[in-house]
Amino acid sequence: MAVKLAKPINYRSAANITALDFQNIMQDLKVRKDFAVAVSGGPDSLALVLLSEQYAKGNGLKLTVLSVDHSLRPDSKDEIKWVEKLMRRKKTKFACLKLKGKKPDSNIMAYAREQRYDLLTQYCKKSKIPYLLTAHHLDDEIENFLMRLIRGSGIKGLSSSRASFKHRKSGVNIVRPLLSFSKKSLIKYLSLTKQNYVVDPTNKDARFDRSRIRVLTTKLISEGLSKSRFSNVIDNLKKAESAIESSLSGYGKNLIQIRDKSSLTINIKDFIKIPEEIQFRLFVKIVEYISKKNQKPRAKSISNLMKKIIRRDFKSMTVHGCIFAKEGKEIIITLEHGRANKTKKKQRIVGFTKKSINDLFT
């Protein structure tokens, strides 16, 4: 089956991207060791590869290009073969990672995204590659913002993508150096290098949330809510989020005390004094850290805990595999007994230390 390619358009109104722009961004994000780039063959990831090649060559770093075959569309294998041939011509190291196992009947895009990250980061960890670059850009930021706004997200969700973060399972650094550039700017960059790209038909498939949001974004922009205004709103939210995270770090390090190697304590009176948003995030951090579960705790469960914990008749409550029990003026937090035994067998309990608590809020 032939791969459907598009010829890039030179959008003259779009901002230019230069090798120097990318160099400065990568230096700001502290990518100074070998790195990999996730590539699908679309315009975003291909532009990222071309920019990354120049950066790697100019800084004496090794670049690895990675593609994931989800086998969700008939064309995907041919598209990856096309990417592989392109990388071969460029003499760039390439690896194709295949998603195996039965696919779910629902939430297929979310499933594919999670599995993709797992495959990519596992490869990087095994190959001792500390950084994985992805091609998320300004248009993605706007779409994420609108999707989360519709779902009723708070500041943390609305502030959208982080430019860099550590993948929880693997410890690999995920880096997104293109967040300040629009899709048109990336396509314009490809036009200057005369590089065609793969067309993904799912981008216009109304069955997927992101495709419908993309249509909404276009309508809002036509009404005067420009991408630059979207960007300003998201930047302001990121600054607010940064301030909250900084406060959370200070409160967390001061409030949480180690009772012994298997339990933590919080003074109830001190806890009540802190802002509700900090209370909520503090409990989320604690239960994620203690339970070691992959999925996040339910927001409703954390909110219920916050309401009950300040009542005089509160005794204990189990949330996300963690027990919160009142003893005098303190709340004692431990792993649920059944889970503790199971976790111990898997050698996942190391024991609480002052350093581990500080690292949790760093």
Side-chain angles (χ1 to χ4, degrees), residues 1 8 17 19 41 44 113 147 169 187 191 223 228 236-237 241 245 249 263 287 299 313 341 348 352:
M1 189 176 291
I17 305 174
D44 323 329
R113 181 170 58 252
M147 288 174 73
K169 293 181 184 178
I187 293 175
S191 74
E223 292 294 329
S228 61
N236 288 336
L237 286 169
E241 172 62 18
E245 282 293 313
S249 176
S263 61
V287 298
D313 61 345
N341 294 332
R348 288 166 67 184
F352 300 122

Side-chain angles (χ1 to χ4, degrees), residues 80-97:
I80 289 175
K81 285 180 181 178
W82 180 82
V83 173
E84 184 176 10
K85 287 180 181 177
L86 179 63
M87 294 303 109
R88 196 181 300 142
R89 287 201 301 271
K90 292 176 171 292
K91 297 181 180 179
T92 300
K93 185 177 179 181
F94 174 84
C96 173
L97 312 176

Side-chain angles (χ1 to χ4, degrees), residues 206-221:
R207 291 176 300 172
F208 301 120
D209 291 346
R210 188 169 290 277
S211 299
R212 296 194 297 273
I213 290 294
R214 197 165 287 134
V215 174
L216 174 61
T217 303
T218 303
K219 288 181 180 178
L220 289 172
I221 290 173

Side-chain angles (χ1 to χ4, degrees), residues 70-72 99-108 111-112 115:
H70 301 92
S71 299
L72 297 176
L99 181 59
K100 300 177 181 179
K102 187 179 179 181
K103 280 55 170 194
D105 296 325
S106 60
N107 296 323
I108 188 68
Y111 166 81
Q115 295 299 311

Side-chain angles (χ1 to χ4, degrees), residues 144-184:
N144 287 340
F145 172 81
L146 289 173
M147 288 174 73
R148 291 167 183 175
L149 182 65
I150 290 169
R151 293 168 185 167
S153 295
I155 291 178
K156 190 177 183 70
L158 293 175
S159 58
S160 201
S161 307
R162 289 173 286 171
S164 66
F165 65 95
K166 195 176 288 290
H167 186 253
R168 190 186 303 173
K169 293 181 184 178
S170 65
V172 173
N173 298 288
I174 309 295
V175 181
R176 297 160 171 165
L178 302 179
L179 289 179
S180 59
F181 299 109
S182 70
K183 191 180 189 77
K184 285 186 176 180

